[in-house]
Amino acid sequence: MAMNVGKRLAAGANMPAPSEDVLTNTQDVVQNALHKLGYSETVYELLKEPIRVLTVRIPVRMDDGHTEVFTGYRAQHNDAVGPTKGGIRFHPNVTLEEVKALSIWMSIKCGIFNLPYGGAKGGIICDPRTMSIAEQERLARGYVRAVSQIVGPTKDIPAPDVYTNPQIMAWMYDEYSRIREYDSPGFITGKPLVLGGSQGRDKATALGVVVAMQEGAATLGKNLQDLKVIVQGFGNVGSNVALILHEMGVKVVGISDAGGALYREEGLDIPSLLEKRDSFGMVTTNFSHTITNQELLVQPCDVLVPAALENQITAENANQIQASLVVEAANGPTTHAADEILSERGILIVPDVLANAGGVTVSYFEWVQNSQGYYWTEEEVNHRMREMMVASAQTIFKTAKRYQVSTRLAAYMVGIKPFAEAMRWRGWV
Ligand SMILES: NC(=O)C1=CN([C@@H]2O[C@H](COP(=O)(O)OP(=O)(O)OC[C@H]3O[C@@H](n4cnc5c(N)ncnc54)[C@H](O)[C@@H]3O)[C@@H](O)[C@H]2O)C=CC1
Ligand SMILES: O=C(O)CCC(=O)C(=O)O
């Protein structure tokens, strides 16, 4: 999400609530992965839920003088490997089940990329699109006060996610430093550069998605340059994926946001769409002729990139998807049933826990730079992240082949193993 706050939108427009199934589906894959690796049921028992979840109630004085009470969560999945890490989402459809699932996905990502973290995730049930800047600041600071006991640079390190941005990270950093009475940039990542943010973090998730896409295309024997791409979601991740592809000369034929979608077989002018986009990733409001998000997903293309919310590719539309490669930039965009349909149809999935992990990887670089007080160039950051993405993608594709399993199960097998091993060494299981 960009930093300036633009147009206000109708709350929750065109947004399906995430299904409660995201947690149980994730638990099924975790169990399957541990079973394939030969770990005991006790290991699963400890990994199927976060070790710690805090629910908080945050009173916020609104601009008109009344006080509104918001509900927020922080879920910490597992801290056997190290402190936990993961973003904070501001969204009206946040649920406890969703935050728990998101924290497990964070662990799997960190495991795949060998980052010294477990997974965590935070969320506040709110709609920042209907709140003023001052109200958003009070909510962000209130959340940090409410969770301050369980977060910190060596405990749990937050970051941005849907509808949060560098400004919100900056307020949270400032609030945490005030509470602790010392400057603590390593408390949070995704900060503005001048406050210790890392070069490249703003585009890191998107760049990682594009590198993962190149690896996926190569596995299919295809050259990305020849492929047509649809990107669902035009926020931090989706718009930057579209821009990077456009700059590489790859045709982006479709994009969307919470209000609708645009599709042009001859390719879209991405830089001009970026100029029209508001701070919440809305651009389709500028056009009189749009299609729906569901219509977009089944339009002709070679690569489909869901980059919005969970449960977008479902049993209802999986049979109509025309892409041969699905690269999951969003967390959890494909339901369990759709996963099976896509696999049966021979469509290659680059799973979320691999494809979008460029973000947390560069967040890790930011945390390392904060602790060293020494900052890297954008080239160094991108080069290191790119190398880690290529190596991780190759490991997942090889694991899928070796065990004859889906790319998602292979990713979970690779990602969960460090947690099972660390827990064994610590004597927990
Ligand atoms: N920002 C990051 O570094 C990372 C984000 N992700 C995931 O990527 C996804 C997108 O996150 P961001 O781009 O950061 O969020 P954002 O807040 O910057 O943008 C969200 C975009 O999705 C659109 N959107 C919302 N509901 C929609 C719907 N029902 N259909 C279509 N579009 C819809 C919004 O209009 C906006 O364009 C999320 O699943 C997030 O968890 C994953 C890893 C890191
Ligand atoms: O940058 C981070 O630490 C976490 C990003 C995130 O929330 C995610 O990968 O889903």
Side-chain angles (χ1 to χ4, degrees):
M1 180 181 134
M3 284 184 59
N4 61 319
V5 171
K7 276 179 217 163
R8 299 290 174 79
L9 290 163
N14 201 15
M15 288 184 187
S19 148
E20 299 294 308
D21 290 340
V22 286
L23 180 60
T24 48
N25 287 343
T26 303
Q27 289 169 331
D28 285 348
V29 192
V30 168
Q31 188 171 32
N32 210 345
L34 288 168
H35 185 245
K36 287 256 174 227
L37 293 167
Y39 289 106
S40 70
E41 208 48 34
T42 317
V43 176
Y44 171 64
E45 203 43 48
L46 201 46
L47 288 171
K48 73 178 188 190
E49 286 270 342
I51 46 161
R52 198 172 297 112
V53 180
L54 187 61
T55 300
V56 294
R57 300 277 284 154
I58 312 157
V60 175
R61 183 66 48 86
M62 306 303 275
D63 291 346
D64 66 4
H66 88 281
T67 296
E68 206 157 308
V69 182
F70 293 86
T71 299
Y73 306 105
R74 186 72 184 168
Q76 299 173 340
H77 175 237
N78 189 279
D79 57 5
V81 169
T84 50
K85 176 127 193 55
I88 299 172
R89 179 174 291 199
F90 282 13
H91 197 279
N93 294 346
V94 163
T95 66
L96 180 57
E97 301 302 304
E98 180 194 39
V99 173
K100 285 183 180 182
L102 283 158
S103 76
I104 300 176
W105 296 333
M106 285 308 309
S107 284
I108 308 288
K109 291 180 211 185
C110 295
I112 293 171
F113 282 72
N114 282 318
L115 307 182
Y117 300 130
K121 201 79 176 197
I124 304 179
I125 305 169
C126 67
D127 195 339
R129 297 165 302 172
T130 61
M131 297 168 69
S132 71
I133 292 278
E135 289 166 347
Q136 290 178 50
E137 176 175 354
R138 290 193 284 271
L139 178 61
R141 289 183 185 277
Y143 178 79
V144 171
R145 287 193 298 276
V147 300
S148 66
Q149 296 292 324
I150 64 159
V151 294
T154 55
K155 281 188 183 173
D156 178 15
I157 305 119
D161 190 72
V162 175
Y163 295 157
T164 53
N165 57 34
Q167 174 61 82
I168 292 173
M169 298 304 107
W171 290 323
M172 290 186 167
Y173 158 41
D174 184 64
E175 190 66 25
Y176 185 82
S177 298
R178 287 185 196 201
I179 293 168
R180 292 281 169 259
E181 296 183 343
Y182 57 81
D183 191 41
S184 191
F187 154 64
I188 203 162
T189 59
K191 301 180 292 294
L193 287 179
V194 70
L195 293 182
S198 176
Q199 294 288 348
R201 177 61 186 89
D202 53 345
K203 291 200 173 118
T205 308
L207 180 60
V209 167
V210 172
V211 176
M213 192 185 299
Q214 280 171 320
E215 294 303 305
T219 302
L220 294 175
K222 295 181 178 174
N223 185 347
L224 185 54
Q225 227 58 38
D226 306 327
L227 305 182
K228 292 182 178 173
V229 183
I230 287 177
V231 183
Q232 184 202 31
F234 209 59
N236 172 284
V237 182
S239 71
N240 280 313
V241 167
L243 182 64
I244 295 168
L245 290 173
H246 180 87
E247 286 171 352
M248 289 167 65
V250 179
K251 214 173 255 185
V252 179
V253 291
I255 63 102
S256 74
D257 57 28
L262 302 172
Y263 181 83
R264 306 267 182 282
E265 212 185 327
E266 63 280 11
L268 291 161
D269 180 354
I270 302 299
S272 120
L273 291 174
L274 273 165
E275 273 170 28
K276 297 187 176 79
R277 189 183 78 123
D278 79 3
S279 60
F280 290 102
M282 284 296 279
V283 66
T284 59
T285 36
N286 295 288
F287 295 83
S288 52
H289 185 70
T290 57
I291 58 175
T292 67
N293 264 283
Q294 286 306 309
E295 285 166 338
L296 178 74
L297 296 177
V298 298
Q299 296 301 309
C301 68
D302 304 294
V303 187
L304 178 61
V305 184
L309 295 174
E310 297 91 336
N311 294 337
Q312 299 300 305
I313 305 177
T314 65
E316 279 69 55
N317 60 20
N319 270 311
Q320 283 90 56
I321 282 173
Q322 303 199 37
S324 52
L325 177 61
V326 173
V327 184
E328 296 181 335
N331 286 305
T334 310
T335 67
H336 192 57
D339 219 17
E340 285 180 356
I341 296 170
L342 295 181
S343 296
E344 274 163 23
R345 293 183 58 214
I347 296 171
L348 179 64
I349 301 175
V350 182
D352 47 6
V353 288
L354 169 66
N356 70 30
V360 67
T361 301
V362 175
S363 273
Y364 164 58
F365 297 162
E366 181 172 331
W367 181 75
V368 168
Q369 292 169 81
N370 291 154
S371 70
Q372 294 176 334
Y374 178 76
Y375 288 85
W376 311 349
T377 64
E378 189 168 357
E379 288 68 35
E380 276 175 285
V381 168
N382 290 348
H383 176 73
R384 287 178 199 226
M385 189 271 281
R386 188 184 283 273
E387 278 196 332
M388 288 167 75
M389 179 58 80
V390 170
S392 301
Q394 287 174 2
T395 302
I396 304 301
F397 294 141
K398 272 191 210 144
T399 306
K401 208 167 168 186
R402 179 172 159 212
Y403 287 88
Q404 290 295 299
V405 296
S406 68
T407 45
R408 189 176 317 279
L409 183 52
Y412 275 61
M413 288 167 69
V414 174
I416 205 72
K417 193 171 175 184
F419 295 92
E421 286 301 303
M423 294 196 315
R424 191 172 60 77
W425 279 101
R426 284 181 185 266
W428 293 359
V429 286

